Amino acid sequence: MEGEGGKGEKGGGAGAARSTLLHNAVIVTVDSESRVFRDGGLFVRGDRIDAIGRSADVLRDFSCRADEIIDLHGRFLIPGFVNTHVHTSQQLGRGIADDVGLMTWLHERIWPYESNMTEEDSYLSTLLCGIELIRSGVTCFAEAGGQHVTGMAKAVELLGIRACLAQSTMDSGEGLPARWKPYSTDDCIQSQMNLYEKHHNTADGRIRVWFGVRQIMNATERLLLETRDIAMELKTGIHMHVAEIPYENQHVMRTTDVDHGTVTYLEKIGFLQSNLLAAHSVWVSDTEIGFLSNAGVKVSHCPAAAMRMLGFAPIQEMVDAGICVSIGTDGAPSNNRMSIVDEMYLASLINKGRGAYIKGLTDPTALPSETILKMATINGAKSVLWDSEIGSLEIGKKADMVIVNPFMWTMVPLHDWISSLVYCMRTENIDSVMCNGRWVMRNRVILNLDEGEVISQATQAASKLLERAGIVIPTRMNPL
Ligand SMILES: [Zn+2]
């Protein structure tokens, strides 16, 4: 990627609206007509896309107004990916709970880890996670909920990407760490209102604050209903883990009068609505899929975490029922890789292979690559209630986009562009990333922070955090 014709960097001081023209690209727009320009050009002015079309037309009409002209030499230009379920606070806990059962994972590793975390830890954890997100082409993510939203917001401001941040909220539940008693319902609501007041629509509009509900077993009915009403009043979203494990459904049936699980209960109390982003939703019946669809609830499918901890989610059935399904990585201790690129590949394979699990035969036609690509882009944008501005490359939308270099051993030959993006692409192919009209990675260099320095500080913070939390990871094999 290089400037040409003497039109390198010029003008565009702090605050000035810069303009960039990219041409000679395969542009996969993911717009409502699924247009792909074989030799496409795109013009960015300030933070928005001002023109998109054939290279020759865009060059003719806009090159005189461009501060920078970039010849992509046939590379792909695609919308920035949206990761709809990620625990940025858990990045320092990567590797603390590998190959252990769910109860050990939660009670002996995750809760001690999270309850000993400081705001500075959360800041470093989010920076480290953000580096991995950017390297996999993510320009927007939905935080699943952590303790220190202010630390996350500070990191997102620096990283230069977009986020819907949420606090992890619990007003009930057994087995929580002693230092981490549940807040009262009023405190849960007030704390989130304060965070909304402080951080919503900050960082040039890149940060939005959502409401979080950790999961049904840590939420009273009053917390659910007040969260529903306040989120609706503030026109923001709610992020909640829903129907993750069979035990959760059993717990709901034991403690309420519903005959199935979480989704049936949430339907009964009137909690399901279109601003709810339900993470995982693995253990849902056909009837419950109908409830989610009718209410317009969005589902974040996290294939790696599901395979490791939860089970096969009926994603094809949800897609067939018209539910907006997007893709998330979940957190580092349940997946290890925060790469949406890997997650797209897994989402396709797992849902094809699921056929063998339920009917004795795999289904290679399940979730084809164009469906997966939409899940990671426009469906992601819909899931975070931001599709009027992001999720596809269209005139008037924000300039959130990714340059993919397919001319590497990972992707050649290119017989089928769309399937290559889903089945062949690796993070190594992600060349450059722009968010809100500004480059956050260019030629594989992260621009807004010193990556080496973050890695060093985060590594030190992680060791101290594990020590404080008393988490000891047993050694394996025979270290000498
Ligand atoms: Zn999660």
Side-chain angles (χ1 to χ4, degrees):
M1 182 172 89
E2 69 257 24
E4 63 173 27
K7 281 228 170 199
E9 303 278 325
K10 75 168 191 185
R18 284 188 48 78
S19 56
T20 305
L21 192 158
L22 303 111
H23 68 103
N24 195 10
V26 174
I27 303 182
V28 182
T29 64
V30 201
D31 66 7
S32 57
E33 296 166 44
S34 298
R35 292 185 303 167
V36 177
F37 293 97
R38 292 163 189 274
D39 178 2
L42 184 148
F43 181 60
V44 176
R45 190 169 53 156
D47 58 1
R48 289 184 191 271
I49 298 167
D50 217 24
I52 185 166
R54 293 193 171 81
S55 279
D57 298 337
V58 176
L59 277 168
R60 185 190 63 227
D61 297 338
F62 292 93
S63 54
C64 60
R65 298 185 227 170
D67 293 320
E68 184 181 26
I69 296 177
I70 300 169
D71 185 343
L72 289 181
H73 300 289
R75 290 173 194 175
F76 287 93
L77 193 57
I78 62 174
F81 293 122
V82 183
N83 182 340
T84 57
H85 187 72
V86 54
H87 295 253
T88 56
S89 305
Q90 292 182 353
Q91 196 78 0
L92 300 186
R94 172 150 57 194
I96 65 169
D98 292 338
D99 306 326
V100 298
L102 185 62
M103 287 301 126
T104 305
W105 186 92
L106 189 65
H107 291 276
E108 293 175 30
R109 308 289 168 83
I110 299 304
W111 280 351
Y113 166 88
E114 281 196 25
S115 61
N116 278 281
M117 193 161 213
T118 65
E119 188 172 308
E120 178 69 9
D121 290 333
S122 183
Y123 170 67
L124 290 170
S125 190
T126 306
L127 286 183
L128 189 64
C129 185
I131 289 169
E132 192 169 0
L133 296 176
I134 290 169
R135 288 203 170 279
S136 78
V138 167
T139 52
C140 180
F141 70 87
E143 165 64 43
Q147 304 304 313
H148 301 288
V149 173
T150 297
M152 295 173 200
K154 192 174 144 200
V156 171
E157 173 138 31
L158 180 60
L159 286 160
I161 56 176
R162 243 173 251 288
C164 298
L165 302 179
Q167 190 174 39
S168 176
T169 304
M170 296 179 270
D171 73 340
S172 66
E174 292 166 7
L176 295 175
R179 58 177 294 159
W180 204 24
K181 287 287 173 221
Y183 284 85
S184 71
T185 310
D186 288 340
D187 286 348
C188 284
I189 296 291
Q190 191 56 51
S191 165
Q192 294 184 95
M193 298 270 280
N194 295 346
L195 290 167
Y196 181 90
E197 194 75 11
K198 190 172 170 192
H199 298 296
H200 188 73
N201 215 16
T202 57
D204 299 324
R206 289 185 285 107
I207 295 177
R208 291 182 175 178
V209 174
W210 279 37
F211 280 65
V213 178
R214 185 80 178 213
Q215 52 132 320
I216 196 81
M217 292 185 285
N218 297 114
T220 61
E221 188 166 313
R222 192 179 140 224
L223 177 64
L224 290 164
L225 296 180
E226 290 196 13
T227 299
R228 175 196 67 184
D229 293 344
I230 293 167
M232 188 53 92
E233 195 183 311
L234 296 173
K235 296 187 172 54
T236 193
I238 303 168
H239 200 144
M240 178 178 177
H241 295 93
V242 173
E244 290 185 277
I245 48 174
Y247 177 80
E248 176 185 328
N249 283 341
Q250 290 154 12
H251 173 89
V252 170
M253 284 190 282
R254 209 170 44 242
T255 54
T256 70
D257 58 356
V258 298
D259 62 359
H260 197 265
T262 306
V263 173
T264 305
Y265 169 70
L266 295 177
E267 161 74 8
K268 187 177 170 235
I269 66 168
F271 182 77
L272 300 179
Q273 51 189 22
S274 61
N275 65 344
L276 174 63
L277 176 54
H280 303 301
S281 307
V282 174
W283 297 93
V284 292
S285 66
D286 289 346
T287 307
E288 291 176 321
I289 289 174
F291 292 152
L292 295 172
S293 174
N294 289 340
V297 172
K298 320 298 192 296
V299 169
S300 177
H301 175 41
C302 306
M307 279 306 91
R308 180 160 157 183
M309 313 285 288
L310 312 175
F312 289 98
I315 298 302
Q316 184 67 61
E317 290 86 333
M318 291 193 208
V319 171
D320 292 344
I323 294 173
C324 175
V325 180
S326 53
I327 300 178
T329 51
D330 210 350
S334 30
N335 178 347
N336 301 63
R337 303 180 184 207
M338 297 295 97
S339 164
I340 201 83
V341 172
D342 292 351
E343 228 53 31
M344 285 199 295
Y345 179 63
L346 285 175
S348 180
L349 289 188
I350 286 168
N351 287 286
K352 292 178 194 307
R354 177 173 167 260
Y357 173 67
I358 56 174
K359 335 178 261 224
L361 201 61
T362 61
D363 181 3
T365 67
L367 298 192
S369 44
E370 56 269 38
T371 303
I372 297 282
L373 192 60
K374 285 178 186 169
M375 285 166 71
T377 53
I378 190 66
N379 282 14
K382 287 176 183 168
S383 298
V384 296
L385 312 173
W386 218 327
D387 53 303
S388 64
E389 293 198 300
I390 62 170
S392 56
L393 300 179
E394 296 181 63
I395 291 172
K397 279 201 171 183
K398 296 280 192 182
D400 287 14
M401 54 199 190
V402 176
I403 296 171
V404 176
N405 175 12
F407 306 117
M408 292 167 59
W409 60 272
T410 49
M411 288 181 75
V412 291
L414 290 164
H415 296 306
D416 180 334
W417 289 336
I418 305 304
S419 73
S420 291
L421 285 169
V422 172
Y423 302 133
C424 307
M425 183 168 70
R426 320 270 179 106
T427 49
E428 294 97 310
N429 296 103
I430 306 288
D431 183 277
S432 300
V433 178
M434 177 182 274
C435 181
N436 217 28
R438 291 177 182 268
W439 296 109
V440 292
M441 181 170 81
R442 200 153 172 191
N443 301 322
R444 298 186 48 74
V445 177
I446 303 265
L447 296 180
N448 296 335
L449 44 84
D450 182 334
E451 190 173 341
E453 187 62 26
V454 171
I455 289 171
S456 161
Q457 288 185 20
T459 305
Q460 286 176 36
S463 300
K464 287 182 188 158
L465 173 52
L466 258 60
E467 208 176 299
R468 274 202 310 279
I471 299 170
V472 179
I473 312 299
T475 50
R476 295 177 194 245
M477 308 294 276
N478 186 23
L480 299 173

Coordinates of all heavy atoms in Angstrom, one line a residue, residues 368-426:
P368 N -23.5 -20.9 4.9 CA -22.5 -20.7 3.8 C -21.7 -19.4 4.1 O -22.1 -18.6 5.0 CB -23.4 -20.5 2.6 CG -24.8 -20.2 3.1 CD -24.9 -20.8 4.4
S369 N -20.7 -19.2 3.3 CA -19.7 -18.1 3.7 C -20.3 -16.7 3.6 O -20.0 -15.9 4.4 CB -18.5 -18.2 2.8 OG -18.8 -18.4 1.5
E370 N -21.3 -16.5 2.7 CA -21.9 -15.2 2.7 C -22.7 -14.9 3.9 O -22.7 -13.8 4.4 CB -22.7 -14.9 1.4 CG -23.9 -15.9 1.2 CD -23.4 -17.1 0.3 OE1 -22.3 -17.6 0.4 OE2 -24.2 -17.5 -0.5
T371 N -23.3 -15.9 4.5 CA -24.1 -15.8 5.7 C -23.1 -15.5 6.9 O -23.4 -14.6 7.7 CB -24.8 -17.1 6.1 OG1 -25.7 -17.4 5.0 CG2 -25.7 -16.9 7.3
I372 N -22.0 -16.2 6.9 CA -21.0 -16.0 8.0 C -20.4 -14.5 7.9 O -20.3 -13.9 8.9 CB -19.8 -17.0 7.9 CG1 -20.4 -18.4 8.1 CG2 -18.7 -16.7 8.8 CD1 -20.6 -18.8 9.5
L373 N -20.1 -14.1 6.7 CA -19.5 -12.8 6.5 C -20.5 -11.7 7.0 O -20.1 -10.7 7.6 CB -19.2 -12.5 5.0 CG -18.3 -11.3 4.7 CD1 -17.0 -11.4 5.5 CD2 -18.1 -11.2 3.2
K374 N -21.8 -11.9 6.7 CA -22.8 -10.9 7.2 C -22.9 -11.0 8.7 O -23.1 -10.0 9.3 CB -24.2 -11.3 6.6 CG -24.3 -10.8 5.1 CD -25.7 -11.2 4.5 CE -25.7 -10.9 3.0 NZ -26.9 -11.5 2.4
M375 N -22.8 -12.2 9.3 CA -22.9 -12.3 10.7 C -21.8 -11.5 11.4 O -22.0 -10.8 12.4 CB -22.8 -13.8 11.2 CG -24.0 -14.6 10.9 SD -23.7 -16.4 11.0 CE -23.5 -16.6 12.8
A376 N -20.6 -11.4 10.8 CA -19.5 -10.7 11.4 C -19.4 -9.2 11.1 O -18.6 -8.5 11.6 CB -18.2 -11.4 10.9
T377 N -20.3 -8.8 10.2 CA -20.3 -7.4 9.8 C -21.7 -6.7 10.0 O -21.9 -6.2 11.1 CB -19.9 -7.2 8.3 OG1 -20.7 -8.1 7.5 CG2 -18.4 -7.6 8.1
I378 N -22.6 -6.8 9.1 CA -23.8 -6.1 9.2 C -24.7 -6.6 10.3 O -25.3 -5.8 11.0 CB -24.6 -6.1 7.8 CG1 -25.8 -5.1 7.9 CG2 -25.0 -7.4 7.4 CD1 -25.4 -3.6 8.1
N379 N -24.7 -7.9 10.5 CA -25.5 -8.5 11.7 C -24.9 -8.0 13.0 O -25.6 -7.8 14.0 CB -25.6 -10.0 11.6 CG -26.6 -10.5 10.6 OD1 -27.1 -9.7 9.8 ND2 -26.9 -11.7 10.7
G380 N -23.5 -7.9 13.0 CA -22.9 -7.4 14.2 C -23.3 -6.0 14.5 O -23.6 -5.6 15.6
A381 N -23.4 -5.2 13.4 CA -23.8 -3.8 13.6 C -25.2 -3.7 14.1 O -25.6 -2.9 14.9 CB -23.6 -3.1 12.3
K382 N -26.1 -4.6 13.5 CA -27.5 -4.6 14.0 C -27.6 -5.0 15.5 O -28.3 -4.5 16.3 CB -28.3 -5.5 13.2 CG -28.6 -5.0 11.7 CD -29.4 -6.1 10.9 CE -29.6 -5.6 9.5 NZ -30.0 -6.6 8.6
S383 N -26.7 -6.0 15.8 CA -26.7 -6.5 17.2 C -26.3 -5.4 18.2 O -26.8 -5.5 19.3 CB -25.8 -7.7 17.3 OG -26.2 -8.7 16.5
V384 N -25.5 -4.5 17.8 CA -25.1 -3.5 18.7 C -25.8 -2.2 18.5 O -25.5 -1.1 18.9 CB -23.5 -3.2 18.7 CG1 -22.8 -4.4 19.2 CG2 -23.0 -2.8 17.4
L385 N -26.9 -2.3 17.7 CA -27.9 -1.2 17.4 C -27.2 0.0 16.8 O -27.4 1.2 17.1 CB -28.5 -0.7 18.8 CG -29.1 -1.8 19.7 CD1 -29.5 -1.3 21.0 CD2 -30.2 -2.6 19.0
W386 N -26.2 -0.3 15.9 CA -25.4 0.8 15.3 C -25.4 0.7 13.7 O -24.6 1.2 13.1 CB -24.0 0.7 15.8 CG -23.3 2.0 16.1 CD1 -23.4 3.2 15.4 CD2 -22.3 2.2 17.1 NE1 -22.6 4.1 15.9 CE2 -21.9 3.6 17.0 CE3 -21.7 1.4 18.1 CZ2 -21.0 4.2 17.8 CZ3 -20.8 2.0 18.9 CH2 -20.4 3.4 18.8
D387 N -26.4 -0.1 13.2 CA -26.3 -0.4 11.7 C -26.6 0.8 10.9 O -26.4 0.7 9.6 CB -27.2 -1.6 11.4 CG -28.6 -1.4 11.9 OD1 -28.8 -1.2 13.1 OD2 -29.6 -1.5 11.1
S388 N -27.2 1.9 11.4 CA -27.4 3.0 10.6 C -26.1 3.7 10.2 O -26.0 4.5 9.3 CB -28.3 4.0 11.3 OG -27.7 4.5 12.4
E389 N -25.0 3.3 11.0 CA -23.7 4.0 10.7 C -22.6 3.0 10.4 O -21.6 3.5 9.8 CB -23.3 4.8 11.9 CG -24.2 6.0 12.1 CD -23.6 7.1 13.1 OE1 -23.3 6.7 14.2 OE2 -23.4 8.2 12.6
I390 N -22.6 1.8 10.8 CA -21.5 0.9 10.5 C -22.1 -0.5 10.0 O -23.3 -0.7 9.9 CB -20.7 0.7 11.8 CG1 -21.5 0.0 12.9 CG2 -20.1 2.0 12.3 CD1 -20.6 -0.4 14.1
G391 N -21.1 -1.4 9.7 CA -21.5 -2.8 9.3 C -21.5 -3.1 7.9 O -21.5 -4.2 7.4
S392 N -21.4 -2.0 7.0 CA -21.3 -2.2 5.6 C -20.6 -1.0 5.0 O -20.5 0.1 5.7 CB -22.7 -2.4 5.0 OG -23.5 -1.2 5.3
L393 N -20.1 -1.1 3.8 CA -19.5 0.0 3.1 C -20.5 0.7 2.2 O -20.8 0.2 1.1 CB -18.2 -0.4 2.3 CG -17.2 -1.1 3.2 CD1 -16.0 -1.6 2.3 CD2 -16.7 -0.2 4.3
E394 N -21.0 1.8 2.7 CA -22.1 2.6 1.9 C -21.9 4.1 2.1 O -21.4 4.5 3.1 CB -23.5 2.2 2.4 CG -23.8 0.7 2.3 CD -25.2 0.4 2.8 OE1 -26.2 1.0 2.3 OE2 -25.3 -0.4 3.7
I395 N -22.3 4.8 1.1 CA -22.2 6.3 1.2 C -22.9 6.8 2.4 O -24.1 6.4 2.7 CB -22.7 6.9 -0.1 CG1 -21.8 6.6 -1.3 CG2 -22.9 8.4 0.1 CD1 -22.3 7.1 -2.6
G396 N -22.3 7.6 3.2 CA -22.9 8.2 4.4 C -22.6 7.5 5.6 O -22.8 8.0 6.7
K397 N -22.1 6.2 5.5 CA -21.8 5.5 6.7 C -20.4 5.8 7.2 O -19.6 6.4 6.5 CB -21.9 3.9 6.5 CG -23.3 3.4 6.5 CD -23.3 1.9 6.8 CE -24.7 1.4 7.1 NZ -24.8 0.0 7.4
K398 N -20.1 5.5 8.5 CA -18.8 5.8 9.0 C -17.7 5.0 8.3 O -18.0 3.8 7.9 CB -18.8 5.4 10.5 CG -19.7 6.2 11.4 CD -19.1 7.6 11.7 CE -19.9 8.3 12.8 NZ -19.3 9.6 13.1
A399 N -16.5 5.5 8.2 CA -15.5 4.8 7.5 C -14.8 3.9 8.5 O -13.8 4.2 9.1 CB -14.5 5.8 6.9
D400 N -15.4 2.7 8.7 CA -14.8 1.6 9.5 C -14.5 0.5 8.5 O -15.5 -0.1 8.0 CB -15.8 1.1 10.5 CG -16.1 2.1 11.6 OD1 -15.7 3.3 11.5 OD2 -16.7 1.7 12.7
M401 N -13.3 0.3 8.2 CA -13.0 -0.7 7.1 C -11.6 -1.4 7.3 O -10.8 -0.9 8.0 CB -13.2 -0.1 5.8 CG -12.4 1.1 5.6 SD -13.1 2.0 4.2 CE -11.8 3.2 4.0
V402 N -11.5 -2.5 6.5 CA -10.3 -3.3 6.7 C -9.7 -3.6 5.3 O -10.5 -3.9 4.4 CB -10.7 -4.6 7.3 CG1 -9.5 -5.6 7.4 CG2 -11.2 -4.4 8.7
I403 N -8.4 -3.4 5.2 CA -7.7 -3.9 3.9 C -7.2 -5.3 4.2 O -6.4 -5.5 5.2 CB -6.6 -2.9 3.6 CG1 -7.2 -1.5 3.2 CG2 -5.8 -3.4 2.4 CD1 -6.1 -0.4 3.1
V404 N -7.5 -6.2 3.3 CA -7.1 -7.6 3.4 C -6.1 -7.8 2.3 O -6.4 -7.6 1.1 CB -8.3 -8.6 3.3 CG1 -7.8 -10.0 3.3 CG2 -9.3 -8.3 4.4
N405 N -4.9 -8.3 2.6 CA -4.0 -8.7 1.6 C -4.1 -10.2 1.3 O -3.6 -11.0 2.1 CB -2.6 -8.4 2.0 CG -1.5 -8.9 1.0 OD1 -1.9 -9.3 -0.1 ND2 -0.3 -8.9 1.4
P406 N -4.8 -10.6 0.2 CA -5.0 -12.0 0.0 C -3.8 -12.7 -0.8 O -3.9 -13.9 -0.9 CB -6.2 -12.0 -0.9 CG -6.1 -10.8 -1.7 CD -5.3 -9.8 -0.9
F407 N -2.8 -11.9 -1.2 CA -1.8 -12.5 -2.0 C -0.7 -13.1 -1.2 O 0.5 -12.8 -1.3 CB -1.2 -11.4 -3.0 CG -2.3 -10.8 -3.7 CD1 -2.6 -9.4 -3.6 CD2 -3.1 -11.5 -4.6 CE1 -3.6 -8.8 -4.3 CE2 -4.1 -10.9 -5.3 CZ -4.4 -9.5 -5.2
M408 N -1.1 -14.0 -0.3 CA -0.1 -14.7 0.6 C -0.5 -16.2 0.5 O -1.5 -16.6 0.0 CB -0.3 -14.2 2.0 CG 0.1 -12.8 2.2 SD -0.4 -12.1 3.8 CE 0.4 -13.2 5.0
W409 N 0.4 -17.0 1.1 CA 0.3 -18.5 1.1 C -1.1 -18.9 1.7 O -1.6 -20.0 1.4 CB 1.4 -19.2 1.8 CG 1.6 -18.7 3.2 CD1 2.3 -17.7 3.7 CD2 1.0 -19.3 4.4 NE1 2.2 -17.6 5.1 CE2 1.4 -18.6 5.5 CE3 0.2 -20.4 4.6 CZ2 1.0 -18.9 6.8 CZ3 -0.3 -20.8 5.9 CH2 0.1 -20.0 7.0
T410 N -1.6 -18.1 2.6 CA -2.9 -18.5 3.3 C -4.1 -18.4 2.4 O -5.0 -19.2 2.6 CB -3.1 -17.5 4.4 OG1 -3.0 -16.2 3.9 CG2 -2.2 -17.7 5.5
M411 N -4.1 -17.6 1.3 CA -5.3 -17.4 0.6 C -5.2 -17.7 -0.9 O -6.3 -17.8 -1.6 CB -5.8 -15.9 0.8 CG -6.4 -15.7 2.2 SD -7.0 -14.0 2.5 CE -8.5 -14.0 1.6
V412 N -4.1 -17.7 -1.5 CA -4.0 -18.0 -3.0 C -4.2 -19.5 -3.3 O -3.8 -20.3 -2.4 CB -2.7 -17.5 -3.6 CG1 -2.6 -16.0 -3.6 CG2 -1.5 -18.1 -2.9
P413 N -4.8 -19.9 -4.4 CA -5.4 -19.0 -5.4 C -6.8 -18.5 -5.0 O -7.4 -19.2 -4.2 CB -5.4 -19.9 -6.7 CG -5.6 -21.3 -6.1 CD -4.8 -21.3 -4.8
L414 N -7.2 -17.5 -5.6 CA -8.5 -16.9 -5.2 C -9.6 -17.3 -6.2 O -10.0 -16.5 -7.1 CB -8.4 -15.4 -5.2 CG -7.5 -14.8 -4.0 CD1 -7.1 -13.4 -4.3 CD2 -8.3 -15.0 -2.7
H415 N -10.1 -18.5 -6.1 CA -11.2 -18.9 -7.0 C -12.6 -18.3 -6.6 O -13.4 -18.1 -7.4 CB -11.3 -20.4 -7.1 CG -10.0 -21.0 -7.7 ND1 -9.5 -20.6 -8.9 CD2 -9.2 -22.0 -7.2 CE1 -8.4 -21.3 -9.1 NE2 -8.2 -22.1 -8.1
D416 N -12.8 -18.1 -5.3 CA -14.1 -17.7 -4.8 C -13.8 -16.7 -3.7 O -13.4 -17.0 -2.6 CB -14.8 -19.0 -4.2 CG -16.2 -18.6 -3.7 OD1 -16.4 -17.5 -3.2 OD2 -17.0 -19.5 -3.6
W417 N -14.0 -15.4 -4.0 CA -13.6 -14.3 -3.1 C -14.2 -14.5 -1.7 O -13.6 -14.4 -0.7 CB -14.0 -13.0 -3.7 CG -13.1 -12.6 -4.8 CD1 -11.9 -13.0 -5.1 CD2 -13.5 -11.7 -5.9 NE1 -11.4 -12.4 -6.3 CE2 -12.4 -11.6 -6.7 CE3 -14.6 -10.9 -6.1 CZ2 -12.4 -10.7 -7.9 CZ3 -14.6 -10.1 -7.3 CH2 -13.5 -10.0 -8.1
I418 N -15.6 -14.7 -1.7 CA -16.3 -14.6 -0.4 C -15.9 -15.8 0.5 O -15.6 -15.7 1.7 CB -17.8 -14.5 -0.6 CG1 -18.1 -13.3 -1.5 CG2 -18.5 -14.4 0.7 CD1 -17.6 -12.0 -1.0
S419 N -15.9 -17.0 -0.2 CA -15.5 -18.2 0.7 C -14.0 -18.1 1.1 O -13.7 -18.5 2.2 CB -15.8 -19.5 -0.1 OG -14.8 -19.7 -1.1
S420 N -13.2 -17.4 0.3 CA -11.8 -17.3 0.7 C -11.7 -16.4 2.0 O -10.8 -16.7 2.8 CB -11.0 -16.6 -0.4 OG -10.8 -17.5 -1.5
L421 N -12.5 -15.4 2.0 CA -12.5 -14.5 3.2 C -12.9 -15.3 4.5 O -12.5 -14.9 5.6 CB -13.4 -13.3 3.0 CG -13.0 -12.2 2.1 CD1 -14.1 -11.2 1.8 CD2 -11.8 -11.5 2.6
V422 N -13.8 -16.3 4.4 CA -14.3 -17.0 5.5 C -13.4 -18.2 5.8 O -13.1 -18.5 7.0 CB -15.8 -17.4 5.4 CG1 -16.2 -18.3 6.5 CG2 -16.6 -16.1 5.3
Y423 N -13.1 -19.0 4.8 CA -12.4 -20.3 5.1 C -10.9 -20.2 5.0 O -10.2 -21.0 5.6 CB -12.9 -21.3 4.1 CG -14.4 -21.5 4.1 CD1 -15.1 -21.6 2.9 CD2 -15.1 -21.7 5.3 CE1 -16.5 -21.8 2.9 CE2 -16.5 -21.9 5.3 CZ -17.2 -21.9 4.1 OH -18.5 -22.1 4.2
C424 N -10.3 -19.2 4.3 CA -8.9 -19.2 4.1 C -8.2 -18.1 4.9 O -7.1 -18.2 5.4 CB -8.5 -19.0 2.7 SG -9.2 -20.1 1.6
M425 N -8.9 -16.9 5.1 CA -8.2 -15.7 5.7 C -7.8 -16.0 7.1 O -8.4 -16.7 7.9 CB -9.2 -14.6 5.7 CG -8.6 -13.3 6.2 SD -9.7 -11.8 5.9 CE -11.0 -12.2 7.0
R426 N -6.6 -15.6 7.4 CA -6.0 -15.6 8.7 C -5.8 -14.2 9.2 O -5.8 -13.3 8.4 CB -4.7 -16.3 8.8 CG -4.6 -17.6 7.9 CD -5.0 -18.8 8.6 NE -4.9 -20.0 7.7 CZ -4.0 -20.9 7.8 NH1 -3.0 -20.8 8.7 NH2 -4.0 -21.9 6.9

